[in-house]
Amino acid sequence: MNSNLQRLFTIAQKPVRRVIGLMSGTSLDGLDVALCAISGSGMDTKVVLEQFETVPYPPAVKDEIRKIFAKETISFQQLCLLHPWIANHHAAWILQCLQKWNIDPSAVDLIASHGQTVYHSPRILHQQAAFPNATLQIGDGDHIAVKTGIITLSDFRQKHIAAGGEGAPLALYGDYCLFSQQGEDRIMLNMGGIANFTFLPGSLDAKAVFVTDTGPGNTLLDAFARHYFQVEYDADAQFAKQGTVNEKLLNALKENSFFKEGFPRTTGPELFNKEYVWKALAGADINPFDMMATLTRFSADTITDALLSVLDANKSYAVYMSGGGAHNPLLVELIKARMPHLKIKTTSELGIAGDAKEAVLFAILANEAVMGEGINFGKPGMPAITMGKYSFPA
């Protein structure tokens, strides 16, 4: 047997596997590195988050990614160069974290690398019937495996598309395993660049689970914070709180056909970007603070519109927030105001810090790839698969 396959077989026999989950979202704020101790698989999965750190992307890294990020026309050479370049950065940051935590790389069994999304194009966005759903994440797994010496799983979203999904959201596969609770209907609401939620029934019935993107989370807020104020995000909603919602712009922003699509649906900054807002504004004047207030309300309304369209008004639900949007007090306040009958909490109350959640979920996907069999959710766009391509160190 090939020595790498023997090593993987040995890992699969261990009662507890140490897996590093990596996540870098469309906000481009940095690389989330979560060291997890994972036992079991499927509904028997147990996770202990041993260490977590977010390594901020240096300005030079953000600048290079933005040359190709969510753009239809790019330099193919730039894309080709960034694929290993990003991976090498991620590998170096993993090793830095392990050194800081005083953990030898040999003590880690697997790395689960989401990669850096640079383009997401489901059919509902590209609208070309001859072509399938598509998505692209860069940061090659082979480079990470060779540089760290750790078996790496990456490129998770391609299998999802190959099996009939849109490549996103993938959160449900980890959410269902880790956060389902008998007797409590739960909503796992993640507000990153794009917002999405997973519904977890208290019955634990996999076929009652569903997941969807709702629309923008922080992506427009971050873009206009950079545009108007030269900062990466609207910290504590300091700018949005000074503005007044422009109802005409708000209504125009909500008119896109995406919001009429059925669930599950996915989207990204390829649609929700500055050009989308300028088109909705139609040349009218607006001051920066009113823009930020309106965009915050836009995110809050489209999140709650999606939730309220599927929740039973006669049932009780617990909503657990995560992602950068959970730190935006105005966004959270607006969501709570439209759903006062729901218990709104954070995933920290479930033992996983909200900022670490997505990285932890990719660690679970890697564990499922080694140990799991695929969960039958019984719905189109939610295939019963395990995901991740294997890269060996040698």
Side-chain angles (χ1 to χ4, degrees):
M1 180 184 289
N2 179 283
S3 61
N4 285 309
L5 294 178
Q6 181 62 57
R7 180 177 171 186
L8 190 61
F9 179 78
T10 301
I11 290 169
Q13 304 305 306
K14 298 174 72 170
V16 178
R17 288 157 294 284
R18 295 180 97 184
V19 184
I20 289 178
L22 305 178
M23 180 63 198
S24 177
T26 56
S27 60
L28 305 182
D29 51 357
L31 180 69
D32 294 335
V33 184
L35 177 62
C36 305
I38 305 179
S39 60
S41 65
M43 291 296 286
D44 296 323
T45 301
K46 298 289 186 293
V47 176
V48 175
L49 178 59
E50 294 186 341
Q51 300 284 348
F52 175 72
E53 182 148 340
T54 296
V55 181
Y57 272 171
V61 171
K62 294 182 183 182
D63 290 344
E64 293 297 333
I65 294 172
R66 284 176 180 147
K67 291 177 182 177
I68 64 170
F69 179 70
K71 295 178 179 178
E72 287 191 14
T73 304
I74 63 168
S75 162
F76 189 66
Q77 175 176 274
Q78 179 75 3
L79 174 63
C80 187
L81 295 175
L82 286 185
H83 193 34
W85 188 75
I86 289 295
N88 290 339
H89 276 294
H90 285 188
W93 294 333
I94 291 167
L95 293 175
Q96 288 172 16
C97 286
L98 289 174
Q99 184 177 35
K100 177 181 177 179
W101 300 333
N102 197 28
I103 296 171
D104 193 271
S106 63
V108 179
D109 296 305
L110 302 168
I111 292 170
S113 175
H114 171 267
Q116 178 61 60
T117 296
V118 291
Y119 206 86
H120 184 66
S121 189
R123 271 201 183 102
I124 62 171
L125 178 61
H126 67 64
Q127 296 186 343
Q128 299 184 59
F131 292 91
N133 297 317
T135 190
L136 183 63
Q137 288 71 43
I138 61 172
D140 183 73
D142 282 343
H143 289 263
I144 296 174
V146 170
K147 295 294 189 305
T148 62
I150 302 168
I151 295 173
T152 299
L153 284 87
S154 63
D155 215 15
F156 292 89
R157 297 186 184 276
Q158 295 303 328
K159 181 72 167 288
H160 196 259
I161 287 175
E166 292 190 359
L170 300 188
L172 83 156
Y173 295 89
D175 282 344
Y176 180 67
C177 294
L178 187 59
F179 296 117
S180 293
Q181 176 64 45
Q182 181 79 46
E184 181 175 73
D185 289 331
R186 290 179 169 179
I187 300 290
M188 308 306 297
L189 173 60
N190 183 68
M191 296 180 289
I194 297 298
N196 60 70
F197 72 85
T198 306
F199 167 67
L200 301 175
S203 65
L204 307 185
D205 179 6
K207 293 186 178 181
V209 173
F210 62 87
V211 65
T212 190
D213 284 350
T214 64
N218 307 312
T219 189
L220 294 177
L221 293 170
D222 293 349
F224 280 89
R226 290 192 298 271
H227 178 81
Y228 286 127
F229 305 104
Q230 293 76 55
V231 295
E232 288 298 313
Y233 64 100
D234 186 8
D236 296 323
Q238 59 180 314
F239 304 127
K241 286 179 178 179
Q242 298 178 58
T244 301
V245 172
N246 182 311
E247 295 290 344
K248 184 176 180 180
L249 173 58
L250 177 64
N251 291 333
L253 291 169
K254 292 180 180 180
E255 287 178 0
N256 193 274
S257 60
F258 170 80
F259 298 111
K260 300 179 178 64
E261 296 284 345
F263 299 149
R265 62 191 186 207
T266 67
T267 191
E270 297 77 13
L271 173 60
F272 294 110
N273 49 41
K274 288 196 292 185
E275 288 71 25
Y276 179 87
V277 177
W278 296 137
K279 184 178 179 180
L281 193 58
D285 290 331
I286 186 171
N287 73 59
F289 301 105
D290 290 353
M291 175 67 85
M292 298 302 292
T294 303
L295 294 177
T296 305
R297 173 76 175 276
F298 178 44
S299 290
D301 281 5
T302 50
I303 289 167
T304 52
D305 285 346
L307 283 169
L308 294 172
S309 72
V310 297
L311 300 185
D312 187 334
N314 297 314
K315 288 187 176 181
S316 174
Y317 302 86
V319 179
Y320 293 93
M321 300 184 301
S322 60
H327 299 296
N328 184 317
L330 180 58
L331 180 60
V332 172
E333 177 186 318
L334 291 170
I335 290 171
K336 287 182 175 180
R338 291 197 76 199
M339 303 190 305
H341 57 298
L342 301 182
K343 298 175 287 185
I344 298 181
K345 311 173 184 181
T346 69
T347 57
S348 296
E349 298 183 50
L350 301 177
I352 300 293
D355 291 341
K357 176 177 175 273
E358 286 195 286
V360 171
L361 292 184
F362 277 93
I364 292 173
L365 290 186
N367 185 70
E368 286 297 298
V370 173
M371 302 295 296
E373 296 294 339
I375 298 167
N376 181 16
F377 293 103
K379 291 185 178 68
M382 297 166 58
I385 53 169
T386 60
M387 292 163 277
K389 295 173 182 174
Y390 293 87
S391 292
F392 295 116

